[in-house]
Amino acid sequence: MEIKSAEFVISNTNVQKCPSGTLPEYAFIGRSNVGKSSLINMLTGYKGLAMTSATPGKTLLINHFLINKNWYIVDLPGYGYAKRGQRGREQIKQIIESYILHRMQMTCLFVLIDSRLQPQEIDIRFIEWLGENGIPFAIIFTKADKLTSGKLNANITQYLEHLKEQWEELPPHFITSSETRLGRKELLDYIESINDLVNKKTS
Ligand code: GTP
Ligand code: MG
């Protein structure tokens, strides 16, 4: 899929105030600093679209970006940022959970995982929670440029093996780098294939 336009629409903390209408949307979630906003900029080709930062906890709101005037990308706050304190973490958790559980337009949730790390309990628990709630999701491994291809493959194999302990069928997964643009075409093609299905259902 070609990206012809990408525009920021609205930021808020309340799922009720997200854009109305029935356009499908794809949300990006994961631990703080995993690379959500960078990936959104890489996918759209608009460098400053989503705000990125070397300091975790940059994205605190639900941010909607309208793509090609017919679907949305949603940048969500990261979970599990320790320095935010218990109360701050609870607030973010509440925003994320109410968006995921109540946003009917959310067609697929992309869960971002840092490809450099061993499976982290916080991500595994989050993925389990998605399963319990029947949320459609796919996994995106980020920052692939930071590893040799041998180490990258080993980490991803290990991650998928870990998931297999809980899941009979593995979710789709993608390997990306916002630096080299690895995985861009695969992700955009995946989104396009789901958009086509959604459009067929509604036409
Ligand atoms: P929060 O909004 O705080 O939850 O973070 P985020 O998940 O949106 O992360 P963000 O995109 O702001 O990136 C965090 C840091 O990782 C920044 O310093 C980015 O430059 C860096 N980064 C993100 N993606 C990549 C990548 O693919 N490769 C490399 N080398 N660095 C990356
Ligand atoms: Mg961010």
Side-chain angles (χ1 to χ4, degrees):
M1 170 173 31
E2 201 190 323
I3 303 292
K4 297 188 193 109
S5 66
E7 9 176 346
F8 168 73
V9 178
I10 193 170
S11 290
N12 61 71
T13 54
N14 185 345
V15 63
Q16 318 283 0
K17 293 189 188 150
C18 289
S20 56
T22 56
L23 294 180
E25 62 193 48
Y26 300 84
F28 292 77
I29 187 89
R31 278 191 313 141
S32 242
N33 221 35
V34 70
K36 300 175 290 296
S37 303
S38 304
L39 183 73
I40 289 170
N41 293 339
M42 183 276 264
L43 282 179
T44 58
Y46 287 71
K47 261 197 167 167
L49 191 66
M51 263 191 272
T52 64
S53 166
T55 332
K58 182 72 187 173
T59 310
L60 296 170
L61 302 163
I62 305 168
N63 300 290
H64 274 75
F65 303 97
L66 180 61
I67 313 298
N68 292 351
K69 313 245 185 239
N70 67 1
W71 56 280
Y72 287 104
I73 280 180
V74 180
D75 191 13
L76 292 171
Y79 52 75
Y81 178 44
K83 282 199 187 142
R84 205 173 265 142
Q86 176 84 21
R87 198 157 159 263
R89 276 206 309 273
E90 265 310 308
Q91 270 173 354
I92 294 287
K93 186 166 179 260
Q94 219 267 324
I95 295 172
I96 293 171
E97 289 190 0
S98 70
Y99 172 85
I100 292 174
L101 295 176
H102 304 301
R103 183 68 174 165
M104 301 301 286
Q105 293 89 331
M106 195 194 71
T107 308
C108 179
L109 181 68
F110 290 110
V111 181
L112 276 62
I113 302 287
D114 190 326
S115 62
R116 295 170 299 176
L117 305 179
Q118 306 287 305
Q120 304 284 302
E121 202 190 324
I122 190 165
D123 295 319
I124 297 294
R125 265 195 279 126
F126 180 74
I127 292 171
E128 243 172 58
W129 178 82
L130 294 178
E132 284 159 16
N133 288 284
I135 307 294
F137 71 96
I139 290 182
I140 297 181
F141 294 100
T142 63
K143 308 193 185 184
D145 60 282
K146 293 208 176 195
L147 292 172
T148 61
S149 62
K151 183 70 183 147
L152 178 68
N153 287 333
N155 279 6
I156 287 165
T157 305
Q158 188 195 19
Y159 211 99
L160 298 177
E161 285 300 322
H162 192 92
L163 286 180
K164 272 191 205 154
E165 290 168 17
Q166 272 145 4
W167 295 81
E168 266 174 44
E169 203 181 319
L170 286 177
H173 73 274
F174 300 89
I175 302 168
T176 66
S177 162
S178 299
E179 292 286 318
T180 66
R181 300 174 29 128
L182 177 75
R184 182 174 187 269
K185 183 176 184 314
E186 289 77 3
L187 258 175
L188 288 176
D189 285 351
Y190 181 69
I191 292 173
E192 185 174 35
S193 70
I194 302 179
N195 279 343
D196 286 348
L197 282 178
V198 172
N199 291 336
K200 258 190 215 138
K201 258 191 215 156
T202 51
S203 65

